[in-house]
Amino acid sequence: MDIIDEKEINLRLKNKLNIKIFDEISSTNTYLKENPSSDKDVIIANMQTKGRGRIGKSFYSPLGSGIYMSIILKNKFEKEKLSLITPLAAVCMCKAIENTLNIDTNIKWVNDIFVKGKKVCGILTESSIDYNTGLSNYVIIGVGINVYKPKNGFTSDIKDSATYLLEKEQNGIKNEIIASFFNNLFGYINFENDFFDEYKKRCFILGKKIGVIKNGKEINAIAKDLNKDFNLLVQYDDKSEEFLSSGEISIKINR
Ligand code: BTN
């Protein structure tokens, strides 16, 4: 059995964290949003009943097959830095998967991690801003990773687009992935080390035909480039170009 264990995680962490593990929870992000003053830095669950994704989507979080976790950071980030946190977390999780399992990963702008063309991990960053200072009160980074195949498979809406990391259960792998992710995160979160190239080299949509989905409408485009603020430069069929910021936009890969 691959059991998530606080001691095993902290043993591997350079900066120790106050972790609480739930067998079942509605959503680890929601827990921290509702309890921002909790003494826990990290909430991890073996199952979520209301796992949330970006833009009001849900995140399928069945028992035992994945890692569903959130960390609350109480740093006072400026607005410009806040928009970098999701791409930063994506790089940290790619490196954690690559270093722990030697599996190649790619990123679908802005927050999805792919393995062999299918999604294995999603990231949802939420924050509270102090409107007087413009700085964050806190940021919650939520990460969901499909480590093993769900017992009943994926739900019909994602069965063609989702995948998992490992066929066979390996003791302790979840703890290693979790610890590696947090060690990576704390290595980058002061924004002293550039991670743009690490993101861009994994961003497999560049040069590809995509659908830009905005307010429920899909527009054909080509993903052309990424700027240093992680805005995606797209060219539409009429040759007009636009930089997209991730906000309420999602993209679809058109093959
Ligand atoms: C996405 O795919 O759009 C993002 C998915 C993020 C899922 C994780 S699982 C842990 C944390 N709690 C949630 O409710 N969501 C995030």
Side-chain angles (χ1 to χ4, degrees), residues 27-29 48 50-54 59 68-70 111-112 119 122-124 142-144:
S27 149
T28 55
N29 264 41
Q48 295 185 121
K50 285 193 180 136
R52 294 186 290 112
R54 280 181 65 238
F59 187 81
Y68 318 111
M69 64 179 178
S70 304
N111 66 326
D112 288 339
K119 176 168 170 174
I123 295 161
L124 175 67
V143 188

Side-chain angles (χ1 to χ4, degrees), residues 145-208:
I145 315 143
N146 309 321
V147 181
Y148 303 109
K149 187 176 182 178
K151 276 199 184 72
N152 300 319
F154 288 107
T155 47
S156 58
D157 53 330
I158 56 169
K159 74 173 181 10
D160 296 329
S161 57
T163 191
Y164 48 89
L165 294 172
L166 292 171
E167 287 296 340
K168 277 202 183 137
E169 223 169 283
Q170 285 183 35
N171 286 347
I173 280 296
K174 287 181 183 169
N175 296 326
E176 284 190 31
I177 296 173
I178 294 166
S180 174
F181 171 74
F182 288 127
N183 281 331
N184 292 339
L185 188 69
F186 285 108
Y188 279 109
I189 201 66
N190 294 328
F191 297 102
E192 282 159 5
N193 299 315
D194 191 39
F195 59 95
F196 180 77
D197 293 344
E198 293 284 351
Y199 186 97
K200 193 171 174 183
K201 76 175 185 198
R202 295 179 176 87
C203 186
F204 70 101
I205 62 162
L206 296 179
K208 293 224 160 56

